Amino acid sequence: EVQLVQSGGGSVQAGGSLRLSCSYSKYSEWNARYGMGWFRQGPGKQREGVAATSPGLSTLYADSVKGRFTISRDNVTNTLLLQMNRVESDDTGMYYCAAQWNGGDRLSPWTYTYWGQGTQVTVSS
């Protein structure tokens, strides 16, 4: 089983930056093979995909975060990162990392098996 432990997040003013981290533990073969992503769930909203990265495929971003957020993955330190720049009030929500993409829409939460515990991001205007 894959364990995902998130860190980062917190409160930030609009226009500022935050970085989220997701540490994962699994043998190195899995690390190189499976896709991972970041998702968020705003107040009263459904969970939505933010960004995804998969070996052999280009990174994928939701239209709402393109040009502002960057997903990256370090298979040496076993860490998935989400750099959030020029944040907006609509970026407020609980953020989750996800692992083991099983095919299909990489920004759909239904296509991932493992989830982190979530971390809150609050953007104030």
Side-chain angles (χ1 to χ4, degrees):
E1 182 174 334
V2 178
Q3 293 184 333
L4 305 176
V5 179
Q6 296 181 224
S7 60
S11 297
V12 63
Q13 286 192 328
S17 298
L18 275 178
R19 190 174 77 165
L20 307 183
S21 298
C22 174
S23 297
Y24 52 91
S25 61
K26 190 62 175 176
Y27 49 85
S28 58
E29 182 180 353
W30 178 90
N31 290 350
R33 179 183 302 174
Y34 287 104
M36 300 185 71
W38 285 99
F39 292 77
R40 67 186 181 188
Q41 189 163 9
K45 298 181 180 179
Q46 292 186 335
R47 191 170 299 187
E48 63 177 0
V50 174
T53 178
S54 306
L57 299 175
S58 59
T59 53
L60 186 63
Y61 295 94
D63 288 343
S64 59
V65 306
K66 280 181 182 176
R68 301 188 298 119
F69 291 9
T70 302
I71 186 172
S72 61
R73 180 176 177 177
D74 187 335
N75 286 331
V76 175
T77 61
N78 293 352
T79 305
L80 181 73
L81 299 172
L82 183 68
Q83 179 65 43
M84 305 167 60
N85 296 329
R86 303 196 311 277
V87 296
E88 303 169 353
S89 56
D90 285 347
D91 295 324
T92 293
M94 187 70 77
Y95 282 70
Y96 300 89
C97 63
Q100 191 164 311
W101 170 60
N102 299 300
D105 184 356
R106 287 192 285 155
L107 292 182
S108 169
W110 301 105
T111 60
Y112 290 82
T113 302
Y114 300 105
W115 291 88
Q117 81 277 17
T119 185
Q120 178 68 35
V121 171
T122 302
V123 181
S124 59
S125 56

